[in-house]
């Protein structure tokens, strides 16, 4: 597992480095320091608070679902679950790690496999509601701005071809199928599958209000994510209608979600230039794109990564100490 995580981190850093380098060469102005010092501090703070709000609502939806299913842990620990999930989503394609890493963080507080699988499924369905509700608005935006949609599709298509070729070359060279999840874990997953179905069925029968609450928190979570970009535009002292800023981000949000690159890296950075260029000056668009990606994803991923490796180190030391005590006695 740790080997795959290291590969994911390396690949993410590679894509992000190339994306940032491209932006730096093409879009960073000579007066970089002047642009940064001229940022509106109040709206920059609001952008940070929107990020905190994103993790708070993510924490709340998992916290309430977990409580309803009998899994209890301190509320502050839920922030660690959220941040580690962001780290997992950032280093895996299509954000798959965001659904896998809670198996580790929630197992640490006594969660059973069937229980955790139910939590992940329920919060996933709650989050899917946002994408279903705002899909018509996303399509409307693409109809109004077809050139932006075409640029995003070309971006995703190009990265899909590149990553497909890299995958085939890696498979031919190493002659080993990359394994994200261990065989033993998959066996336990199959063993707990029927228990998982019963838990989900019971949840929808007894805890409908909790699920609707999870939907509400999911909607507020994604609103908070979009507010990061809105406040950041205002931090660059640019004024634009709220709905224009909100709706223009929707195609990019969907593009990042389906991107073949880890955490939508590359698509997020370059896509931000495509989506926000109408609202910002030529001098500020490059800096904005980099700041937006750092604030909206990479900052949380870095913090989550540190938390994950601290957790892993503690667990390994505890396991080693436990084995030493048993061997002593």
């Amino acid at each position: 597992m740790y080997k795959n995580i290291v590969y994911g981190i390396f690949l993410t850093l590679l894509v992000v480095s190339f994306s940032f380098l491209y932006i730096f060469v093409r879009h960073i102005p000579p007066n970089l320091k002047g642009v940064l010092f001229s940022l509106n501090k109040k709206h920059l703070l609001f952008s940070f608070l929107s990020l905190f709000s994103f993790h708070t609502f993510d924490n709340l939806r998992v916290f309430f679902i977990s409580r309803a299913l009998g899994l209890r842990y301190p509320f502050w620990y839920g922030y660690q679950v959220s941040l580690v999930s962001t780290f997992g989503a950032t280093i895996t394609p299509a954000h798959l790690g965001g659904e896998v890493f809670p198996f580790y963080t929630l197992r640490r507080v006594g969660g059973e496999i069937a229980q955790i699988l139910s939590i992940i499924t329920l919060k996933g369905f709650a989050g899917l509601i946002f994408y279903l509700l705002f899909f018509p608005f996303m399509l409307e935006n693409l109809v109004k701005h077809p050139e932006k949609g075409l640029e995003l599709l070309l971006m995703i298509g190009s990265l899909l071809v590149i990553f497909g070729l890299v995958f085939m070359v890696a498979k031919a060279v190493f002659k080993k199928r990359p394994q994200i999840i261990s065989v033993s874990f998959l066996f336990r997953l199959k063993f707990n599958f029927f228990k998982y179905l019963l838990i989900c069925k019971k949840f929808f029968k007894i805890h409908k209000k909790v699920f609707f609450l999870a939907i509400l928190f999911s909607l507020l979570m994604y609103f908070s994510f979009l507010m990061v970009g809105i406040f950041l535009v205002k931090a660059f002292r640019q004024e634009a209608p709220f709905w224009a800023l909100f709706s223009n981000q929707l195609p990019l949000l969907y593009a990042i979600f389906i991107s073949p690159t880890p955490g939508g890296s590359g698509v997020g950075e370059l896509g931000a230039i495509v989506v926000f260029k109408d609202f910002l000056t030529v001098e500020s668009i490059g800096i904005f794109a980099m700041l937006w990606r750092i604030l909206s994803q990479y900052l949380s991923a870095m913090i989550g990564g540190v938390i994950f490796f601290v957790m892993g180190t503690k667990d390994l030391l505890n396991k080693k100490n436990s084995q030493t005590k048993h061997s002593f006695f």
Side-chain angles (χ1 to χ4, degrees):
M1 181 185 173
Y2 280 103
K3 191 183 287 186
N4 293 316
I5 290 168
V6 172
Y7 289 153
I9 293 170
F10 173 75
L11 190 58
T12 305
L13 288 173
L14 191 67
V15 178
V16 172
S17 298
F18 276 117
S19 301
F20 275 28
L21 182 63
Y22 172 82
I23 292 171
F24 198 86
V25 171
R26 290 289 302 271
H27 297 283
I28 297 299
N31 61 330
L32 172 62
K33 193 183 288 186
V35 174
L36 287 173
F37 278 111
S38 67
L39 290 175
N40 184 301
K41 306 300 184 296
K42 183 181 77 173
H43 286 108
L44 192 61
L45 175 63
F46 286 157
S47 202
F48 272 101
L49 290 174
S50 296
L51 177 63
F52 177 74
S53 178
F54 170 86
H55 287 292
T56 298
F57 289 121
D58 186 30
N59 181 6
L60 281 167
R61 63 178 184 162
V62 176
F63 185 79
F64 274 91
I65 292 170
S66 299
R67 285 283 174 121
L69 294 179
L71 177 60
R72 294 178 176 272
Y73 54 82
F75 185 72
W76 63 265
Y77 185 79
Y79 282 104
Q80 296 183 58
V81 174
S82 179
L83 288 164
V84 171
S85 295
T86 303
F87 167 67
T90 305
I91 62 168
T92 52
H95 293 75
L96 290 173
E99 311 306 322
V100 175
F101 275 58
F103 274 102
Y104 172 65
T105 51
L106 294 178
R107 283 284 282 177
R108 293 182 82 250
V109 288
E112 298 176 1
I113 289 179
Q115 201 177 32
I116 297 167
L117 191 58
S118 302
I119 292 166
I120 291 168
T121 303
L122 292 164
K123 71 124 174 168
F125 275 122
L128 186 63
I129 299 298
F130 174 88
Y131 287 94
L132 293 174
L133 282 176
F134 284 88
F135 187 72
F137 297 105
M138 188 272 293
L139 288 178
E140 182 188 20
N141 189 271
L142 288 178
V143 170
K144 286 181 179 177
H145 310 283
E147 70 289 345
K148 289 183 181 179
L150 185 61
E151 284 185 69
L152 289 172
L153 282 174
L154 285 171
M155 212 178 289
I156 294 168
S158 302
L159 287 168
L160 193 61
V161 171
I162 293 166
F163 269 75
L165 290 170
V166 169
F167 178 80
M168 286 189 286
V169 170
K171 195 175 179 182
V173 171
F174 297 107
K175 295 181 180 178
K176 185 179 178 183
R177 189 177 175 184
Q179 191 179 335
I180 298 170
I181 302 172
S182 66
V183 175
S184 61
F185 180 78
L186 285 173
F187 176 77
R188 291 201 302 263
L189 210 58
K190 288 176 184 177
F191 181 77
N192 285 275
F193 182 69
F194 290 106
K195 191 178 178 182
Y196 149 73
L197 290 177
L198 288 172
I199 291 172
C200 287
K201 185 181 177 181
K202 188 179 177 182
F203 179 89
F204 280 112
K205 190 176 180 180
I206 303 172
H207 301 292
K208 291 185 182 72
K209 289 180 181 178
V210 175
F211 184 66
F212 284 114
L213 200 59
I215 291 172
L216 175 63
F217 290 142
S218 294
L219 292 173
L220 291 171
M221 181 188 79
Y222 283 112
F223 285 155
S224 299
F225 177 85
L226 295 171
M227 288 304 296
V228 172
I230 292 171
F231 281 124
L232 198 56
V233 169
K234 291 183 179 295
F236 279 84
R237 303 184 184 278
Q238 301 297 315
E239 293 298 327
F242 173 83
W243 179 248
L245 285 169
F246 186 93
S247 62
N248 268 266
Q249 290 184 75
L250 292 175
L252 180 57
L253 184 61
Y254 284 78
I256 291 171
F257 184 73
I258 63 171
S259 170
T261 56
S265 50
V267 173
E269 292 81 50
L270 303 180
I273 292 173
V274 173
V275 167
F276 289 101
K277 64 183 178 183
D278 292 340
F279 306 108
L280 295 153
T281 61
V282 177
E283 292 79 17
S284 60
I285 186 63
I287 305 168
F288 172 89
M290 293 168 75
L291 273 177
W292 179 72
R293 278 301 274 169
I294 290 167
L295 269 177
S296 64
Q297 183 141 9
Y298 298 137
L299 179 61
S300 299
M302 285 188 287
I303 296 169
V306 171
I307 292 169
F308 174 76
F309 284 107
V310 168
M311 283 180 176
T313 304
K314 281 184 178 178
D315 291 343
L316 285 171
L317 288 172
N318 289 337
K319 188 178 179 181
K320 192 176 179 180
N321 291 335
S322 177
Q323 287 173 348
T324 304
K325 283 179 183 178
H326 284 303
S327 62
F328 180 78
F329 289 107

